Amino acid sequence: MTENSTTFVYLPGAGGGGEGDLAELAAGLDFPVSFEPVRYPGWQRSMAEGFSAEILLEELAAEIERKVPSGPIRIMGMSIGGHLGYTIALRLQAKGREIAGLCVVDSFMIESSKATAGWQGRALAQGMDLLRKGRYMTFARFIRSKAWRGLLRLGGKPLLSLVGRVSGSGGMNTLLARDAMADQELSMRLLIVHLAPWLKELDCEPVPLIAPVALLRTKVSARDDLSWMRRCPYVSIYEVPGTHETLFEAENIGEMRKAFGAAAMEFSRAGAAALETPA
């Protein structure tokens, strides 16, 4: 961790990554912020016998404690990482750890592992936006990503079961080693399959997180504000421009930085107050 900085443990979206966006987000702030990314398991781990959402949550909570062995904990979760961050914060708090802040970035509610309504229109708009900006290499990666994602969704459980049967032979490792995009999409798909049933039950009887929370979300995700307010009674909501896919684009990063900076400053004060409070 960076000395004298406000440090966040970062839980990414299902696709992982995002460290470049985080660096850009922190670069323009008036005070130092650093991030400790947490990695999700790859498809091999997700296919292991007995693996479940509960085991994943236990492993992620343990990883966060290793990264922050003492003192206040601040968590930032992007997309599905926001839901994980909320649940893990509750678990760590129950163990006596101080949660100085949870920053949730555009984490919309997920009811199943199926594609959300209107995904075709959003994908078309995203692709057209990349072409308008002349980002042809990014557009090519985007098309490959959508192609693999569509194949995995179309194949459903039978395809995932087939992958599981042949993975032990080593052939699947060799095949996916040649295509990082396929490896990433398979890992993401399996992660969502494991987590979707758990997410569906998460708000049946939500446990309130008694800690400062900042929800940075786009206009489209406003429909889920009430769910986040039930989970987090001390939530501050910041509406940011753009879409789920363009939050960190040049035209939106300024407003994202402003909202995140306000949240980080609040969390920094909360952490300082916790350290000053006698046990």
Side-chain angles (χ1 to χ4, degrees), residues 17-276:
E19 284 83 351
D21 292 332
L22 296 178
E24 180 66 22
L25 184 67
L29 294 174
D30 296 329
F31 54 95
V33 170
S34 59
F35 299 93
E36 285 284 328
V38 172
R39 308 291 181 188
Y40 298 143
W43 61 270
Q44 300 94 330
R45 177 78 178 96
S46 294
M47 283 186 167
E49 185 176 356
F51 185 79
S52 65
E54 179 61 30
I55 288 175
L56 173 64
L57 290 166
E58 290 179 1
E59 292 178 351
L60 292 176
E63 177 65 14
I64 289 176
E65 287 206 277
R66 283 192 291 270
K67 289 181 177 293
V68 190
S70 62
I73 297 174
R74 302 174 189 87
I75 300 173
M76 180 177 183
M78 173 72 190
S79 193
I80 202 169
H83 302 293
L84 294 169
Y86 157 73
T87 305
I88 293 168
L90 287 172
R91 293 181 178 219
L92 294 176
Q93 200 172 64
K95 293 176 64 176
R97 295 301 303 270
E98 177 69 27
I99 304 300
L102 169 65
C103 182
V104 177
V105 183
D106 215 37
S107 296
F108 49 83
M109 298 301 152
I110 301 173
E111 296 184 354
S112 77
S113 59
K114 296 179 181 180
T116 55
W119 70 267
Q120 300 100 325
R122 291 192 298 272
L124 178 61
Q126 186 180 358
M128 294 301 294
D129 184 58
L130 291 173
L131 288 176
R132 279 195 300 270
K133 293 175 180 177
R135 298 173 59 182
Y136 303 117
M137 292 296 293
T138 303
F139 176 75
R141 290 193 296 271
F142 168 77
I143 292 299
R144 285 177 54 223
S145 170
K146 294 300 181 185
W148 278 113
R149 193 171 304 180
L151 176 63
L152 291 169
R153 281 175 174 160
L154 184 64
K157 290 184 178 179
L159 178 58
L160 295 178
S161 298
L162 175 62
V163 172
R165 288 197 298 272
V166 302
S167 62
S169 65
M172 184 60 63
N173 289 313
T174 302
L175 173 63
L176 293 180
R178 297 173 181 171
D179 192 333
M181 185 69 71
D183 186 286
Q184 176 181 313
E185 288 295 332
L186 178 58
S187 297
M188 179 184 73
R189 188 66 189 155
L190 287 169
L191 182 70
I192 292 175
V193 166
H194 279 296
L195 290 178
W198 163 75
L199 284 168
K200 189 175 181 179
E201 300 295 325
L202 194 58
D203 290 304
C204 291
E205 295 183 14
V207 178
L209 175 63
I210 309 304
V213 176
L215 174 61
L216 281 57
R217 53 95 176 135
T218 59
K219 186 175 182 179
V220 173
S221 298
R223 62 181 181 270
D224 296 321
D225 284 356
L226 186 59
S227 294
W228 278 107
M229 292 168 68
R230 284 196 292 262
R231 292 180 183 181
C232 309
Y234 298 102
V235 64
S236 298
I237 300 175
Y238 302 82
E239 184 167 307
V240 292
T243 66
H244 190 71
E245 294 79 16
T246 64
L247 285 169
F248 296 94
E249 293 289 322
E251 64 270 23
N252 300 322
I253 189 67
E255 291 300 314
M256 270 290 294
R257 187 180 291 119
K258 185 186 301 183
F260 174 74
M265 185 64 73
E266 178 187 355
F267 296 167
S268 182
R269 288 194 293 264
L275 290 173
E276 293 171 1

Side-chain angles (χ1 to χ4, degrees), residues 5-26:
S5 69
T6 299
T7 301
F8 287 80
V9 178
Y10 175 63
L11 295 163
E19 284 83 351
D21 292 332
L22 296 178
E24 180 66 22
L25 184 67

